[in-house]
Amino acid sequence: MTDRLPLSAAGPAAASSPDADTARPSSNFLRQIIENDLAHGTYAGRLWSGSPGDAAHQSRSGTPDPARIRTRFPPEPNGYLHIGHAKSIWVNFGLARDYGGVCHMRFDDTNPEKEDTEYVDSILDAVRWLGYGWEANGTPHLYQASDYFDAMYRAAEFLIETGHAYVDEQSAEQMRANRGDFTTPGTDSPFRDRAPAENLTRFRQMRDGQLADGAAVLRARIDMASPNINLRDPAIYRIRRATHHRTGDAWCIYPMYTFAHPIEDALENITHSICTLEFEDQRPFYDWLLERLSTPAALPDGRALEPIFARPNPRQYEFARLNLTYVVTSKRKLKQLVDEGHVAGWDDPRMPTVVGLRRRGYTPEAIQLFCERSGVSKAGGWIDYGSLEGALRETLDATAGRAMAVLDPVRLTITNWDALMGAGRLDACDAPVNPHDPAQGRRSFRFGRDLWIERSDFAEVPPKGYHRLSPPRTGADGSALPGSKVRLKYGHVVECTGFVNHADGTLAEVQAVLVPDTKSGTPGADAIKVKGVITWVGASDGLRAEVRLYDRLFSEPHPDAGGKDFLASLNPASLQTVTAMLEPSLAQARPGDSFQFERHGYFVADREDHRDGALVFNRATGLKDSWAK
Ligand code: ATP
Ligand code: MG
């Protein structure tokens, strides 16, 4: 099949089909499963009425589902999304886009205690910013699992009536003790063989608030001796008097996640329900449940029960979660970092949250490239943080404008400038905005008597192999050695003649003379060979800026491995703030714009604090991986 429906998850990349793409995404086991299902028409017969619902709802319109596959991204709205979620977004939205499908954005808000609307907007923003959308054919596919409470309740009654669920009134301790363990089979509950009618009455009493919290649970009736403990009559509904952020006090019973999730998928016509490996043991229950709910039943009293769902059922597939070195991704630990003030907030540029990465200077393209490279497989493992940074460098190299920045400035005075060039004169210099892309034009700045250079570009006594500025001195054999010559990039060659220290012995000023006729780009400029080229900023047009030098938040690759105290490996040097001098082209920078500061790395104008006249830049990443061994 080559025809594609106009359906696809929206977003910048949605326009290009994978066939047209030169950089075709590499195959993986999920792609193979989907391609196989498409080739066999596994899901071709499904009906879709335009909204989620049971079999009766979907068959009412009789319209074949226009989406060739349906996937979903189902976060709990209980925190900010992090890089692991970004991977899941990339997998689910990316597969739907690539195969003419739709990815549903679903808030999995069936647990009344943990959710909060505070997080909903930030989650939607993060998904959109990463380049994805949930609109297809003009319809938003944005759903809330709590909208399905009625359907879940009906599914529970269906199980009860068909003898597949019972109300258990053992105490929590009894239930735990009777579950057995890996070596011992469980023991049947004394309530296990209650008649369906009695279970139904009791379950309705649970729903109607006649039983106390914890007094009873509804359990699936499967097999207390199953080697898979998840199949030993798992609880599927519990009594919990809690106010839900959307349904308020309408319910005092809530479905368990393992029961709710397959039903959410089935109601939404999901074909491929993709999750991480921790859920592998739950798959047999997922299949058991949907199998029961899609089978017609003849009851002992002669009634026939229509199945709740039409086959084929959604299927669950698991892949290895993303584990990234030098970060923690547990929501609890991220919250602790924020609450205890180890970072400035959820969007602190050192946080692995999507908002943190964005503020750090990460782009959606870089995150997508990283996800692609980190692969989709069944085998877990650790991905090095350097690979995330590498993806950022790669994507920014082609697009980011270059600029000179002096991060630790010291004055350089050209002592013969006035005599050679005229007092107060400034000399215009220019450079490409991006050497890979002449279309980005050129940038200009001025050379003059007074300049700023990096403090580290001067050494009173040069170490071996040092090719930057050093003053005239006496050699070991007593001979007089001249000061060194360097090129000030895009400018002139200068020869160091001396320096001035402050009273405390720290460097105040470096002095040099201009070597005439050496201006970059002019004929004969290369006549004088120099070994060193350094960056600089003119004192006349340089811009003062706050530059935040971010580094990894942890100095250990596995900060929380084996239950270790992750706070013990916080990197004390993860943020250093300096006052830098920047070339004048950066006056145009808007919050969120990225640049390569020559020699230093990639920097972004801070989204919160950067403004005209108060420039603030964050280091996104250095030019190379300084942590690589
Ligand atoms: P946490 O354990 O940090 O609280 P979670 O998995 O409970 O995260 P959810 O809101 O349930 O958070 O996650 C939404 C989706 O993102 C789920 O499908 C989950 O499997 C996926 N996801 C979360 N972390 C990762 C990860 N590190 N790699 C891949 N997918 C992930
Ligand atoms: Mg979860």
Side-chain angles (χ1 to χ4, degrees):
M1 289 176 92
T2 51
D3 59 318
R4 264 162 222 285
L5 293 162
L7 256 178
S8 74
S16 61
S17 84
D19 298 343
D21 240 323
T22 40
R24 196 189 168 106
S26 56
S27 191
N28 60 52
F29 82 101
L30 291 176
R31 288 182 172 275
Q32 284 158 15
I33 287 166
I34 291 170
E35 283 162 21
N36 187 56
D37 282 335
L38 290 176
H40 291 90
T42 312
Y43 293 98
R46 292 168 312 134
L47 302 176
W48 175 250
S49 70
S51 58
D54 60 15
H57 173 87
Q58 299 303 3
S59 65
R60 220 162 282 148
S61 74
T63 312
D65 193 336
R68 296 173 76 203
I69 63 166
R70 287 185 190 265
T71 57
R72 85 284 171 270
F73 174 63
E76 283 179 63
N78 64 352
Y80 286 82
L81 298 185
H82 54 61
I83 185 72
H85 295 118
K87 175 81 179 259
S88 177
I89 290 167
W90 171 83
V91 167
N92 283 295
F93 282 93
L95 289 172
R97 178 195 63 206
D98 291 352
Y99 291 102
V102 178
C103 179
H104 294 191
M105 177 71 222
R106 179 201 304 155
F107 285 105
D108 210 332
D109 59 352
T110 53
N111 182 348
E113 282 123 343
K114 295 200 311 195
E115 279 101 34
D116 207 314
T117 38
E118 173 199 342
Y119 300 110
V120 168
D121 289 345
S122 87
I123 291 173
L124 294 178
D125 276 353
V127 173
R128 265 192 233 103
W129 178 75
L130 284 167
Y132 302 102
W134 43 88
E135 295 242 343
N137 276 352
T139 314
H141 294 79
L142 171 60
Y143 303 116
Q144 324 277 343
S146 54
D147 284 343
Y148 309 144
F149 281 153
D150 282 319
M152 291 171 188
Y153 179 81
R154 269 182 282 119
E157 287 209 347
F158 182 99
L159 291 183
I160 293 171
E161 292 210 79
T162 52
H164 295 304
Y166 62 99
V167 174
D168 195 349
E169 294 175 55
Q170 295 182 97
S171 69
E173 298 81 78
Q174 282 169 326
M175 249 180 269
R176 207 172 302 122
N178 289 341
R179 193 161 43 220
D181 54 30
F182 286 108
T183 50
T184 328
T187 312
D188 285 1
S189 161
F191 298 92
R192 198 170 194 267
D193 292 320
R194 273 179 157 173
E198 193 191 338
N199 280 315
L200 197 56
T201 305
R202 213 63 186 134
F203 185 52
R204 289 178 178 171
Q205 289 171 347
M206 283 170 63
R207 176 197 62 190
D208 295 340
Q210 295 175 32
L211 277 75
D213 282 15
V217 293
L218 183 68
R219 296 178 77 175
R221 194 172 187 281
I222 311 179
D223 177 7
M224 287 307 291
S226 172
N228 181 342
I229 294 183
N230 297 301
L231 292 181
R232 293 184 188 171
D233 293 9
I236 58 181
Y237 257 97
R238 70 206 154 119
I239 308 170
R240 186 76 192 91
R241 285 171 177 76
T243 304
H244 186 278
H245 76 103
R246 294 186 75 244
T247 58
D249 295 321
W251 295 90
C252 67
I253 56 171
Y254 289 96
M256 305 299 283
Y257 176 84
T258 49
F259 173 76
H261 204 91
I263 294 176
E264 294 159 20
D265 287 345
L267 289 166
E268 292 181 14
N269 257 17
I270 299 304
T271 53
H272 301 82
S273 178
I274 299 163
C275 60
T276 44
L277 278 176
E278 309 89 86
F279 294 96
E280 196 167 21
D281 286 350
Q282 295 290 356
R283 181 161 24 97
F285 178 65
Y286 186 104
D287 292 339
W288 179 94
L289 178 64
L290 293 184
E291 180 66 22
R292 299 293 164 300
L293 297 177
S294 58
T295 304
L299 301 183
D301 63 9
R303 278 185 302 141
L305 280 189
E306 286 299 312
I308 294 188
F309 298 121
R311 292 185 187 156
N313 286 317
R315 296 282 302 272
Q316 174 183 307
Y317 302 95
E318 311 86 18
F319 72 104
R321 66 190 292 118
L322 172 73
N323 291 313
L324 187 62
T325 59
Y326 296 96
V327 304
V328 297
T329 51
S330 137
K331 278 180 202 151
R332 182 181 61 76
K333 289 172 189 164
L334 292 175
K335 186 167 184 317
Q336 194 181 342
L337 289 170
V338 174
D339 290 347
E340 294 181 3
H342 302 292
V343 294
W346 287 98
D347 68 344
D348 185 294
R350 292 165 292 182
M351 290 284 272
T353 51
V354 174
V355 281
L357 291 166
R358 171 165 64 177
R359 193 165 171 194
R360 178 72 171 263
Y362 275 83
T363 59
E365 296 72 31
I367 294 175
Q368 289 176 18
L369 178 64
F370 166 74
C371 288
E372 172 77 42
R373 295 230 174 111
S374 65
V376 174
S377 79
K378 284 268 184 192
W382 287 85
I383 304 290
D384 188 72
Y385 190 82
S387 148
L388 180 65
E389 296 178 312
L392 180 61
R393 277 183 214 111
E394 244 176 272
T395 49
L396 288 184
D397 183 35
T399 54
R402 272 45 174 179
M404 287 203 287
V406 176
L407 300 186
D408 185 7
V410 70
R411 285 305 271 268
L412 172 68
T413 308
I414 311 297
T415 53
N416 61 347
W417 182 266
D418 289 357
L420 265 181
M421 311 292 283
R425 229 203 98 196
L426 294 169
D427 179 31
C429 301
D430 72 339
V433 171
N434 185 314
H436 304 313
D437 181 12
Q440 291 188 42
R442 297 187 72 81
R443 42 191 241 260
S444 54
F445 34 85
R446 284 149 187 265
F447 198 104
R449 175 179 176 275
D450 299 306
L451 307 171
W452 295 102
I453 58 167
E454 293 289 347
R455 191 170 294 273
S456 61
D457 283 340
F458 172 81
E460 188 179 340
V461 182
K464 204 166 158 23
Y466 188 86
H467 297 306
R468 292 169 276 166
L469 291 166
S470 56
R473 64 202 163 91
T474 308
D477 58 359
S479 61
L481 298 173
S484 66
K485 288 194 189 69
V486 301
R487 173 170 296 283
L488 298 183
K489 199 170 182 189
Y490 312 118
H492 303 257
V493 173
V494 299
E495 177 178 338
C496 188
T497 52
F499 63 100
V500 179
N501 276 349
H502 289 295
D504 66 1
T506 58
L507 184 65
E509 177 191 337
V510 179
Q511 295 167 335
V513 291
L514 189 103
V515 181
D517 305 322
T518 55
K519 170 90 181 279
S520 288
T522 60
D526 298 340
I528 303 250
K529 296 279 177 235
V530 293
K531 285 197 175 143
V533 178
I534 66 172
T535 46
W536 55 279
V537 167
S540 67
D541 59 4
L543 305 169
R544 195 170 294 272
E546 176 177 327
V547 174
R548 300 172 181 168
L549 299 171
Y550 290 106
D551 201 348
R552 297 178 186 188
L553 187 54
F554 295 96
S555 41
E556 281 229 19
H558 309 290
D560 55 353
K564 243 186 336 210
D565 173 16
F566 67 107
L567 297 177
S569 59
L570 275 171
N571 174 8
S574 63
L575 169 58
Q576 202 197 331
T577 301
V578 299
T579 300
M581 296 304 301
L582 311 179
E583 70 165 59
S585 68
L586 289 171
Q588 262 79 63
R590 300 277 77 92
D593 287 352
S594 300
F595 300 89
Q596 186 196 101
F597 287 0
E598 298 193 26
R599 296 168 79 198
H600 292 298
Y602 292 96
F603 289 72
V604 62
D606 188 71
R607 289 171 183 272
E608 296 297 322
D609 302 335
H610 178 93
R611 50 186 58 89
D612 285 344
L615 313 186
V616 180
F617 287 87
N618 302 330
R619 178 165 66 196
T621 179
L623 285 178
K624 59 182 195 331
D625 186 353
S626 58
W627 290 68
K629 304 229 168 56

